[in-house]
Amino acid sequence: MSRPNPLLAGLRGRCPNCGEGRLFQGFLKVAPSCDACGYDLAKADSGDGPAVFVILIAGFLCAFAMLFTEIAYAPPIWVHVVVFLPLTLGVCLGLLRPLKGVMLAAQFSNKASEARHD
């Protein structure tokens, strides 16, 4: 059996080791171990990395769309609130889980761990 691409497995929310088990337990909480292969996922910590990338990507997309709409159509402010507030929320929530999976998979594939001096 060949090993899966860990980054694609992380993008799908699957174990970076086997590609079968779930990476998450809930929306963003990392599972303690893989259901399929028993790989220890508890040591994973992505920190604030996924949130930073989500802010940059969603901010660029939504701010560009908002500015384009404002310049092209000049709608009232309530249109911006009604359209772009849910759009921004949806883009942020839609990107957060896949990007966290990719960051965790990159951490596992590069054998990165936190440095400790106990």
Side-chain angles (χ1 to χ4, degrees):
M1 176 162 141
S2 64
R3 296 191 67 173
N5 183 343
L7 297 178
L8 291 176
L11 186 65
R12 291 189 342 242
R14 298 292 176 195
C15 173
N17 188 42
C18 67
E20 297 297 323
R22 295 181 314 172
L23 181 60
F24 296 106
Q25 179 183 25
F27 184 64
L28 288 176
K29 184 178 180 189
V30 179
S33 64
C34 176
D35 297 337
C37 68
Y39 191 70
D40 182 24
L41 300 169
K43 60 186 174 206
D45 183 24
S46 62
D48 292 334
V52 170
F53 286 114
V54 166
I55 289 169
L56 291 173
I57 294 168
F60 174 75
L61 292 175
C62 295
F64 178 76
M66 185 182 285
L67 286 173
F68 179 79
T69 303
E70 179 62 34
I71 291 170
Y73 304 107
I77 192 69
W78 66 267
V79 172
H80 286 294
V81 172
V82 168
V83 172
F84 292 108
L85 192 62
L87 177 69
T88 304
L89 184 64
V91 169
C92 287
L93 290 177
L95 286 176
L96 192 55
R97 185 175 166 131
L99 286 179
K100 184 170 183 172
V102 167
M103 296 280 293
L104 292 172
Q107 181 181 5
F108 282 117
S109 67
N110 291 317
K111 296 176 179 53
S113 61
E114 293 186 43
R116 291 190 177 175
H117 302 287
D118 291 329

